[in-house]
Each structure stands twice: as C-alpha cells, then as structure tokens.
C-alpha cells in the first residue's frame, strides 16, 4: 500500500506547533460524557466525533470504515470551541475525542508505550492518517514519551504538555504514551487527520 505522507513528519515522526491562543474554557471538556475506555493507561474518553455519531469509542474499522469522515456525537454540542478548532483546520478528520488520563509514573508510561492503528481500511493511495493533540489542562511537568524503537531509549523524545500546546504525531510509526505527573487528571483533545496538502498547510502556519 502506498499513502500520501507529510515531509514535515519524515525525520522525527512528530512536530511541535505553537500554542492555541484563544484557549478553551474548562467547562467544555469537563461537562462532556466520558466512557470507560482504556488506552495508554488509566483513561476515560469522551467521543466528540465517532464512526457514525454514536457515543462509543471503538475504532472506525469495527464499523467497516477507515479513521476518516467522523460524525459528531451528542458531546459536540457541549464543546463548541473544540468543534470549531477541528473544523477550522479544514482537514478531513476521523475520530475526535478528549482523553482523561489519571496520574502515573514514567515507568508506567514506558509500559504503556503502544502504536495506534490509524490506517486500517485506509484505501491505497489516500492520505496517511496521523493524530493531532490539543493539550487542555496545564501539565508542564508531564510529557508524552515517543520512541522510534520501543526497546531503544536512545530513540526517545519528550513532548511537553503545558496548557493549549498543539502537536502532531505519526502514532502508527512512533511508540507513544504519556507520563502524567500531576495530582489531577490530564485532559487533551485527540483528532485523527488525513495527511495531504491541507494538513501540511495548517502545520506550516502553526509552526512556532
Ligand atoms: Fe495511542
């Protein structure tokens, strides 16, 4: 299979962007309905766009479609800024959800390292699906661990997680998990985006 990929991700598999300036009111992520769904630690997720708009967290492939063309759920009405953030980017999106992650340790984060399965059912020749993050809570002592090789610490990088930081990760290429050192849950918006000229343009506009 051959997919369109972004040059900006070629070297490291991730790119840090500048902070989202307007900010987001905590009520948007705190008022949503969360589901018990474990991925990368002690987590709950609030689906904002799912495969067919239902309140569920399953991969789109479980419904026979690639992780593209997400449909807004009932949570979307509670987070207008997050919905606008996704739509303003102007890129074909799949799953959109907030993650709620309980505090953990670096050792636990290493045990949670995993690859995502973003491109199952992605048709040959289309854009490679990557994931973007908009960090919601201010967790400057926490970080996402990414590794090119799961078992090689020399391939490790840390992505800091202050409030409103934005970054894009090829999570089917890089092993990843968050070390969250706070005392309260960490929240972030995670969106699957299709690689292509539109995503490339947005990233170039958002570079620090
Ligand atoms: Fe993941």
């Amino acid at each position: 299979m051959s997919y369109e990929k972004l040059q900006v991700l070629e070297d490291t598999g991730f790119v840090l962007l500048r902070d989202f300036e307007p900010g987001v009111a905590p009520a948007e992520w705190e008022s949503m309905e969360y589901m018990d769904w474990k991925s990368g630690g002690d987590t709950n997720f609030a689906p904002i766009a799912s495969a067919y708009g239902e309140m569920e967290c399953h991969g789109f492939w479980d419904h026979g479609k690639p992780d593209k063309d997400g449909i807004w759920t009932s949570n979307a009405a509670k987070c207008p800024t997050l919905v606008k953030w996704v739509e303003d980017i102007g890129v074909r999106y799949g799953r959109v959800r907030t993650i709620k992650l309980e505090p953990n340790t670096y050792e636990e984060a290493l045990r949670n390292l995993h690859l995502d399965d973003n491109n199952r059912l992605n048709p040959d020749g289309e854009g490679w699906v990557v994931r973007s993050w908009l960090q919601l809570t201010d967790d400057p002592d926490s970080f996402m661990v990414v590794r090119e090789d799961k078992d090689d610490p020399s391939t490790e990088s840390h992505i800091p997680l202050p409030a409103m930081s934005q970054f894009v990760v090829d999570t089917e290429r890089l092993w990843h998990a968050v070390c969250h050192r706070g005392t309260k849950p960490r929240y972030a918006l995670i969106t699957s985006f299709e690689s292509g000229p539109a995503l490339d343009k947005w990233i170039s506009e958002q570079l620090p």
Side-chain angles (χ1 to χ4, degrees):
M1 303 280 254
S2 72
Y3 295 104
E4 182 172 6
K5 295 189 177 182
L6 298 185
Q7 177 115 42
V8 69
L9 294 174
E10 191 174 309
D11 275 356
T12 62
F14 69 97
V15 59
L16 306 186
L17 307 175
R18 62 167 183 256
D19 294 353
F20 179 58
E21 289 287 351
V24 184
E28 293 208 16
W29 67 81
E30 289 173 352
S31 65
M32 283 192 285
E33 183 180 338
Y34 284 76
M35 334 254 344
D36 183 15
W37 189 264
K38 302 303 171 212
S39 179
D42 184 357
T43 56
N44 290 273
F45 286 83
I48 305 171
S50 64
Y52 286 103
E54 301 296 324
M55 285 289 292
E56 53 94 11
C57 296
H58 290 276
F60 283 22
W61 53 84
D62 280 346
H63 302 281
K65 63 189 269 191
D67 196 354
K68 298 177 175 181
D69 305 319
I71 296 173
W72 298 118
T73 70
S74 56
N75 267 335
K78 298 175 182 167
C79 59
T81 311
L82 299 182
V83 169
K84 187 173 187 307
W85 182 90
V86 172
E87 291 187 329
D88 281 354
I89 292 173
V91 174
R92 192 178 181 192
Y93 56 86
R95 70 183 63 188
V96 182
R97 48 175 76 164
T98 49
I99 183 173
K100 175 186 181 187
L101 172 68
E102 301 297 334
N104 63 13
T105 64
Y106 176 67
E107 289 69 27
E108 285 169 326
L110 291 185
R111 283 199 294 275
N112 288 332
L113 284 172
H114 65 280
L115 295 176
D116 291 340
D117 194 2
N118 300 328
N119 289 280
R120 202 190 295 195
L121 303 185
N122 193 4
D124 194 19
E126 289 199 0
W128 183 251
V129 174
V130 296
R131 291 207 185 160
S132 72
W133 271 259
L134 169 60
Q135 171 71 20
L136 296 171
T137 42
D138 188 32
D139 298 308
D141 298 325
S142 304
F143 50 90
M144 180 178 286
V145 178
V146 294
R147 282 189 186 185
E148 193 86 56
D149 180 337
K150 180 177 187 279
D151 299 315
D152 183 355
S154 75
T155 67
E156 180 170 319
S157 299
H158 291 176
I159 298 174
L161 302 174
M164 299 301 134
S165 54
Q166 305 179 106
F167 51 96
V168 175
V169 182
D170 182 346
T171 54
E172 193 166 331
R173 164 180 160 184
L174 295 183
W175 295 82
H176 59 280
V178 162
C179 170
H180 176 35
R181 291 185 159 141
T183 54
K184 292 186 283 192
R186 169 242 176 190
Y187 288 85
L189 179 71
I190 309 174
T191 307
S192 293
F193 281 123
E194 181 182 51
S195 297
L199 184 60
D200 197 41
K201 177 170 181 289
W202 179 74
I203 288 174
S204 68
E205 291 165 354
Q206 299 292 323
L207 292 174

